[in-house]
Amino acid sequence: MGMGRDGGDRSPGPAHRPAISPRQNKDGSYTGFIKVHLKLARPVSVPAAKRGPGGRPGQRTAGVKRRTSFYLPRGTVKHLHVLSHTRASEVIGALLRKFTVVDDPRKFALFERSEKDEQVYLRKLADEERPLRLRLLAGPSEKALSFVLKENESGEVNVSAAGEARCRAATPCAAVRRSGAVSPQWDAFSLPELHNFLRILQREEDEQLRRVRHRYARCRRELQAALAARTPG
């Protein structure tokens, strides 16, 4: 794996923030830091605390892996020391390991975020893309490019700055609504999660139908009003 040796397991404070300037290695590659914002709407799974010998109740049974879930705090940020050939999939794996998350890595995706003309753009990185290269090409401004770890969803997202908060709570079902692109890898999710996605998708479909009916009703009233104004008395 092409991760830097320093690991970047701590989020440095303002006085110790890593510089973006890369360091060239003897093999021609570069080493540098990337900052990743973790914006997860669902809880993540981590190994349950181990019990001591003879611990009861809840003593661990041989062959049974116990898990516990929790929500990552809002605003969680991680700095990673990576190489120029470190892939997006490796960055995801490194982030999960730092939080001891045992969920399937396919449940997550790394996005690049940029701001332009008061618009926020999110693009899902392919597994083979190199985040450090993208970071260096974009320059030091986080408005030009930053990285976000989110639940896995397909397609590009283009939202206004005011609507970004709604995107933070998006589920994989939102990808179907927004882009009609290839579906996420559903086999990475449990049956309860899939049933929940179906309920969310039904609610979103009902809401979209309500909005369409409301828009057409308004247009119909405006057309009728325009016709009535032009009809000779």
Side-chain angles (χ1 to χ4, degrees), residues 43-50 60 65-71 99-103:
V44 294
S45 300
V46 298
K50 295 182 178 180
R60 301 186 69 174
K65 295 182 179 180
R66 297 177 58 84
R67 296 183 178 186
T68 185
S69 298
F70 73 100
Y71 286 91
F99 289 97
T100 65
V101 174
V102 294
D103 291 313

Side-chain angles (χ1 to χ4, degrees), residues 113-144:
R113 180 185 184 277
S114 59
E115 297 181 34
K116 184 178 181 181
D117 299 329
E118 298 185 353
Q119 294 287 313
V120 175
Y121 298 86
L122 289 177
R123 184 182 70 86
K124 178 182 173 182
L125 298 184
D127 287 345
E128 300 300 318
E129 291 191 73
R130 272 59 171 172
L132 180 58
R133 291 184 182 179
L134 296 174
R135 169 75 276 172
L136 296 176
L137 288 173
S141 173
E142 287 202 8
K143 286 190 174 182

Side-chain angles (χ1 to χ4, degrees), residues 25-101:
N25 302 314
K26 293 181 179 180
D27 62 358
S29 63
Y30 285 86
T31 301
F33 283 93
I34 60 171
K35 182 168 71 171
V36 182
H37 300 261
L38 285 76
K39 297 182 179 179
L40 302 176
R42 299 191 301 274
V44 294
S45 300
V46 298
K50 295 182 178 180
R51 299 275 184 175
R56 299 178 187 278
Q59 186 173 9
R60 301 186 69 174
T61 304
V64 177
K65 295 182 179 180
R66 297 177 58 84
R67 296 183 178 186
T68 185
S69 298
F70 73 100
Y71 286 91
L72 286 176
R74 287 190 177 185
T76 299
V77 175
K78 277 293 177 182
H79 290 81
L80 293 178
H81 198 203
V82 299
L83 299 171
S84 55
H85 53 71
T86 300
R87 297 172 297 177
S89 59
E90 294 176 314
V91 170
I92 294 173
L95 289 168
L96 298 184
R97 285 193 296 274
K98 294 201 179 295
F99 289 97
T100 65
V101 174

Side-chain angles (χ1 to χ4, degrees), residues 139-157:
S141 173
E142 287 202 8
K143 286 190 174 182
L145 186 142
S146 60
F147 296 107
V148 181
L149 183 74
K150 295 167 60 73
E151 282 83 6
N152 195 4
E153 55 188 43
S154 300
E156 294 185 9
V157 183

